[in-house]
Amino acid sequence: MDSNVSSNSSAPGRSLVSAKVVIAGGFAAGKTTLVKSVSEIPPVSTEAVMTEASREHDDLSSTPDKTTTTVAMDFGRLTLEHELIMYMFGTPGQARFWFMWDDIVRGAVGAVIVVDSRRLAECFDAIDYFETNQTVPYIVALNRFDGELPYTVDQIREALEIAPEVPIVDFDARDRNSAGGVLKELLRYTLSRKAEPVG
């Protein structure tokens, strides 16, 4: 394991700082998998078994083996660089649960929008949400399903109309270090935004 990605102990003489981050995105993009792969505590998940009724509303053509879905939120914790604790809150992806997003996002310092590049339309609403709520900076994380990306980062940036300054990274949500790298990129971007002069 990369010691710079995760540790649950603080270095002597240093105080820990905590931050809330949101893991958002469309249905079945890999949000829960990201939280589970990097959390240093047993993650809290509100996954429920998908019923036949939900299958009428959720597109499973690209994820036919999916049997559960998040109905409230996911929660995990990750310590970065021995001094920053990131509390991760994962949002539900389906439109019928979006009424919870405002409460989940409140107080967050940044967000990761997880994207399944095979189903770009699934992430439009998440991007619109954070574009509208400009007080929460976000980055886009392209989940490599089957280890591949069908489009280049530039093609996806153009398709999603992502501003040039917003980082887009690709990763494997199942891999601890890869997913941890996404959170480190979010931290770098958030800190750079805070360092920018106002006006």
Side-chain angles (χ1 to χ4, degrees):
M1 182 191 306
D2 185 345
S3 61
N4 289 329
V5 169
S6 174
S7 172
N8 55 16
S9 62
S10 60
R14 292 183 178 179
S15 59
L16 286 171
V17 176
S18 63
K20 175 182 179 180
V21 298
V22 171
I23 311 300
F27 171 69
K31 303 180 295 298
T32 298
T33 302
L34 187 159
V35 173
K36 286 182 176 179
S37 68
V38 298
S39 181
E40 63 198 16
I41 62 172
V44 176
S45 180
T46 57
E47 286 197 305
V49 175
M50 297 185 68
T51 64
E52 287 303 315
S54 67
R55 290 175 183 271
E56 295 177 4
H57 300 280
D58 302 320
D59 181 9
L60 296 175
S61 57
S62 296
T63 55
D65 297 328
K66 186 173 179 61
T67 58
T68 61
T69 187
T70 300
V71 295
M73 70 173 191
D74 299 310
F75 174 79
R77 186 186 75 190
L78 175 66
T79 305
L80 289 176
E81 309 292 349
H82 303 285
E83 53 191 60
L84 172 65
I85 299 177
M86 300 183 89
Y87 292 103
M88 300 170 285
F89 291 77
T91 64
Q94 298 96 319
R96 59 188 178 276
F97 298 126
W98 287 343
F99 67 91
M100 303 180 200
W101 279 40
D102 285 346
D103 288 332
I104 294 174
V105 171
R106 187 174 294 113
V109 299
V112 175
I113 299 178
V114 182
V115 173
D116 178 353
S117 57
R118 304 167 302 177
R119 299 179 296 123
L120 293 179
E122 292 285 340
C123 70
F124 288 159
D125 291 307
I127 291 172
D128 285 344
Y129 180 92
F130 287 100
E131 283 289 332
T132 302
N133 183 5
Q134 295 184 13
T135 60
V136 181
Y138 72 91
I139 68 170
V140 174
L142 308 175
N143 192 5
R144 292 196 299 264
F145 283 88
D146 300 322
E148 298 181 359
L149 287 175
Y151 306 103
T152 67
V153 169
D154 288 340
Q155 288 173 326
I156 292 173
R157 185 183 296 277
E158 181 177 358
L160 299 180
E161 299 182 350
I162 303 296
E165 66 273 13
V166 175
I168 299 180
V169 297
D170 66 280
F171 80 116
D172 184 339
R174 301 165 299 179
D175 181 85
R176 184 179 182 84
N177 284 330
S178 183
V182 170
L183 294 172
K184 291 173 73 174
E185 180 61 32
L186 175 64
L187 175 62
R188 281 191 290 267
Y189 180 58
T190 301
L191 291 176
S192 72
R193 284 274 301 259
K194 290 184 179 299
E196 291 175 359
V198 176

